[in-house]
Amino acid sequence: MNIYDKTHDLAKALKESKEVEEITSAMKLIETDPEAKKMLDDFRERQMEVQQRMMSGDMPAQEEMEKMEKLFEVLSLNLNIRRLFDAERRLSVIIEDVNKIIADSLQDLYGSSL
């Protein structure tokens, strides 16, 4: 059994999953709505800035996080953006589950510290 072949199989299964299909479909619909696309692009840019700051140890202020949450809620009022967010969340759960399965499979190797 070649681990890289299995990894490519997993990547192919993810790309062909219902969740990725739904993300692609929602993105196509958002692309046809310039206002929604701009709002989403702006949100993603701010989200990326906050995540980069957090990774460098600079935790954003509580009010900034609340502002991001409110912006997320406003964006979610757009049905296509909500559909995108829902599909992304479901894909994220799958990826987290896969990571957990892999980590659990190595637990005996390193003990319960994983």
Side-chain angles (χ1 to χ4, degrees):
M1 167 170 46
N2 182 324
I3 196 133
Y4 294 104
D5 290 341
K6 295 291 183 186
T7 304
H8 286 288
D9 290 345
L10 174 60
K12 184 177 186 242
L14 282 170
K15 284 172 82 172
E16 294 173 353
S17 71
K18 179 179 69 172
E19 290 76 15
V20 168
E21 237 176 65
E22 289 176 13
I23 290 170
T24 302
S25 176
M27 285 301 296
K28 284 180 183 174
L29 290 170
I30 292 166
E31 292 286 332
T32 66
D33 181 348
E35 185 179 326
K37 181 170 178 1
K38 178 163 179 18
M39 288 180 4
L40 180 62
D41 288 346
D42 291 346
F43 175 75
R44 294 284 197 214
E45 189 174 317
R46 291 174 75 181
Q47 188 179 39
M48 183 102 58
E49 288 170 7
V50 168
Q51 288 174 342
Q52 287 175 343
R53 284 180 32 216
M54 289 171 74
M55 289 189 317
S56 67
D58 179 18
M59 296 307 287
Q62 180 67 28
E63 57 268 4
E64 186 176 0
M65 294 305 290
E66 289 172 3
K67 193 174 181 181
M68 289 296 291
E69 277 184 42
K70 293 234 184 286
L71 185 54
F72 177 84
E73 290 171 13
V74 169
L75 283 172
S76 295
L77 295 175
N78 179 296
L79 295 179
N80 292 325
I81 293 176
R82 182 177 335 141
R83 183 175 163 201
L84 173 68
F85 287 164
D86 289 345
E88 287 176 337
R89 181 188 45 76
R90 288 191 306 275
L91 181 61
S92 178
V93 168
I94 290 170
I95 293 170
E96 287 174 23
D97 289 347
V98 167
N99 283 333
K100 183 175 179 347
I101 291 166
I102 291 169
D104 287 352
S105 75
L106 300 174
Q107 195 168 19
D108 290 343
L109 206 72
Y110 296 106
S112 61
S113 63
L114 288 180

